């Protein structure tokens, strides 16, 4: 196939690529014959194509991401009888291992496609790899969400069931309880004026509290008079010679 036929093959492939990939296709340069005596092109067409997977959710907030890469191609003088030069310029959510696999797949596809226009064939494994990486992203997100749900369920279960009591957990609880009781006891002692160890003010007795309460200072006679009752006068002289009475003989 002469150079004119090769140039026509390249031009037809570029037209098809631009039609199919639209905004994901960028033509950087075109064939230039350069006016050389040999009639061979001094420079050949180069272009970039973006390959990306479908968007997949990657977080609990519904954020979407893709696995993608930008591929740079440049035709060689004998293309398609000779493989084009290519490089991965940029990538998203592809690991170094993914990029190594991508390079190997593209090289293998070029070798298997010599003699035919091959850009579409080279792009096919790139699409599959991006799709696989997107599925991996989605699976990772799903596993993380399942782990989060299990953690929430475990926390709810603990609220209902409680923490199992073991000698270790009981001992820890008892230490905290004793410490809290000591603090409460000290606060109560301080509030009532009683200091641990016998110091501080003396706590009043029941009798002292009774004598200090003046609510019962009103006599029964005063209450009777206030309520309109008749006061009875008592002759105290009747009780002054009780010692002279022979009470024991009366009882017998």
């Amino acid at each position: 196939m002469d150079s004119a036929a090769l140039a026509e093959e390249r031009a037809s492939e570029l037209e098809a690529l631009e039609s199919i990939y639209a905004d994901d296709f960028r033509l950087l340069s075109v064939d230039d014959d350069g006016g050389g005596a040999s009639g061979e092109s001094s420079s050949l067409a180069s272009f970039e194509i973006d390959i990306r997977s479908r968007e997949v959710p990657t977080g609990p907030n519904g954020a979407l991401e893709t696995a993608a890469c930008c591929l740079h191609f440049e035709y060689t003088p004998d293309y398609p009888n000779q493989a084009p030069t290519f490089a991965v310029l940029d990538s998203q959510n592809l690991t170094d291992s993914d990029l190594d696999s991508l390079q190997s797949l593209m090289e293998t596809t070029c070798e298997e496609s010599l003699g035919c226009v091959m850009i579409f064939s080279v792009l096919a494994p790139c699409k599959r790899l991006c799709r696989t990486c997107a599925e991996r992203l989605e699976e990772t997100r799903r596993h993380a969400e399942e782990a989060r749900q299990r953690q929430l369920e475990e926390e709810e279960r603990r609220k209902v069931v409680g923490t199992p009591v073991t000698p270790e957990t009981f001992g820890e609880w008892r230490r905290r309880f004793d410490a809290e009781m000591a603090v409460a006891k000290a606060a109560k002692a301080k509030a009532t004026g009683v200091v641990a160890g016998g110091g501080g003010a003396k706590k009043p007795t029941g009798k002292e509290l009774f004598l200090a309460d003046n609510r019962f200072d009103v006599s029964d006679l005063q209450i009777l008079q206030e309520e309109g009752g008749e006061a009875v006068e008592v002759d105290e002289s009747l009780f002054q010679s009780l010692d002279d009475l022979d009470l024991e003989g009366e009882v017998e």
Side-chain angles (χ1 to χ4, degrees), residues 10-11 13-14 17-18 25-32 43-49 71-76 79 84-87 89 119:
R10 295 192 293 268
E13 185 177 44
L14 285 174
L17 289 170
E18 186 174 9
F25 174 86
R26 293 179 297 279
L27 182 63
L28 304 179
S29 64
V30 296
D31 285 359
D32 181 12
S43 64
L44 300 174
S46 62
F47 52 93
E48 293 176 356
I49 298 177
L71 304 177
H72 176 88
F73 293 93
E74 185 172 350
Y75 285 138
T76 53
Y79 178 87
T85 60
F86 58 84
L89 297 184
I119 301 301

Side-chain angles (χ1 to χ4, degrees), residues 56 118 141 155 166 210 222 245:
V56 295
M118 62 187 73
R141 190 273 310 171
E155 291 175 355
T166 64
F210 177 78
Q222 182 178 347
L245 297 178

Side-chain angles (χ1 to χ4, degrees), residues 185-237:
K185 185 176 181 181
K188 183 177 181 181
K190 183 177 181 181
T192 58
V194 178
V195 180
K202 180 182 177 181
K203 184 176 181 181
T205 64
K207 180 179 179 181
E208 291 171 341
L209 291 173
F210 177 78
L211 294 177
D213 190 348
N214 60 2
R215 291 177 298 171
F216 304 105
D217 290 349
V218 181
S219 66
D220 293 342
L221 181 58
Q222 182 178 347
I223 295 174
L224 184 60
Q225 291 175 347
E226 290 176 354
E227 293 181 355
E230 183 180 353
V232 179
E233 295 184 1
V234 179
D235 187 356
E236 296 181 359
S237 63

Side-chain angles (χ1 to χ4, degrees), residues 13 21 51 71 73 79 83-84 86 102-103 105-111 113 116-128:
E13 185 177 44
Y21 286 95
I51 302 296
L71 304 177
F73 293 93
Y79 178 87
F86 58 84
L102 180 61
Q103 182 77 18
L105 287 170
M106 294 175 71
E107 291 175 354
T108 300
T109 304
C110 286
E111 293 175 1
S113 304
C116 303
V117 289
M118 62 187 73
I119 301 301
F120 284 100
S121 299
V122 171
L123 294 177
C126 299
K127 292 179 179 179
R128 288 195 297 270

